[in-house]
Every structure is written in structure tokens, then in C-alpha cells.
Amino acid sequence: QLQLVESGGGLVQPGGSLRLSCAASGSTLTYYAIGWYRQAPGMEREKVSCISSTGGKTTYADSVKGRFTISRDNDKDTVYLQMNSLKPDDTAIYYCAGGAYSCSDYVSHDPHVWGQGTQVIVSA
């Protein structure tokens, strides 16, 4: 059964960078579109980005376009989120999630499988 594990979070100054990783356990994530979501205190959960199973298609929230890049290495069973030019508003718990085959499925339905989350804090 598919399990997802996030890593790479931490404390970073405004303008800094972090790379988050989403790794599969128990099964492979290579067949699935994988989304990155975040939730800040007092805020609703926000979809940050999504990548198709092959990596050929990606989507980004307007708030992160030009700063974040999603990618995947299916040989390593891992999806990445490179975050550059970080802002305090990026502070949140970041989750990866999957289970469907297309990013369009996550527009109207929540993914079936979620990781435990990794904390990102952007502060001087």
C-alpha cells in the first residue's frame, strides 16, 4: 500500500531556498500524479503544485509561479519541490499527496494518500 514521506523542511531566511522531497514507501508513486499542498495557521489548505505521472505536465499556484519548481525522478521514486526566493507567507506545513493519475483529478477531489507533512518556516 502506498505511503508518502516528505522531507527537507526547515527554517530559512526570506530570499532563501529549500528543496522538499516526497518519497514512496510500500509501493511506487511512479504511476501517479503527485501534488504539493500547504497549510498555514489560520488558513485553508492550498494546492501549491502538481506534476503528472511522467513529469511532462506541471501546474503551479499563482502565488508561487516563477519561484517554485516541481520535478520527479521516477527511477528514485521521488518527487521534489524546489522553493526559491522564499517569503514569510510561504511559512506552512507542506504535504505531498497522490493516488490519482492526472493532476486534473485533484481539482475536484482530494488525493487518497497523504504524507505526514514537513514544516517550512521563513523568517529573519
Side-chain angles (χ1 to χ4, degrees), residues 11-119:
L11 175 64
V12 64
Q13 293 183 335
S17 297
L18 286 172
R19 188 179 74 163
L20 306 183
S21 298
C22 175
S25 178
S27 186
T28 179
L29 55 71
T30 59
Y31 298 107
Y32 302 112
I34 299 294
W36 283 99
Y37 297 75
R38 67 186 182 186
Q39 188 163 26
M43 303 291 289
E44 292 187 350
R45 187 182 63 204
E46 176 187 21
K47 185 167 70 175
V48 175
S49 186
C50 188
I51 188 166
S52 65
S53 61
T54 64
K57 296 181 180 179
T58 59
T59 65
Y60 298 93
D62 288 342
S63 58
V64 306
K65 285 181 179 177
R67 300 188 298 119
F68 291 11
T69 303
I70 191 170
S71 63
R72 69 192 303 158
D73 185 342
N74 282 345
D75 288 339
K76 297 181 178 180
D77 237 353
T78 303
V79 173
Y80 304 97
L81 185 68
Q82 178 67 46
M83 306 186 296
N84 298 326
S85 302
L86 283 162
K87 306 174 181 179
D89 284 350
D90 296 318
T91 296
I93 299 175
Y94 284 72
Y95 302 88
C96 67
Y101 301 108
S102 171
C103 288
S104 63
D105 291 328
Y106 302 147
V107 175
S108 57
H109 302 282
D110 286 339
H112 290 102
V113 181
W114 293 78
Q116 83 288 349
T118 186
Q119 177 75 64

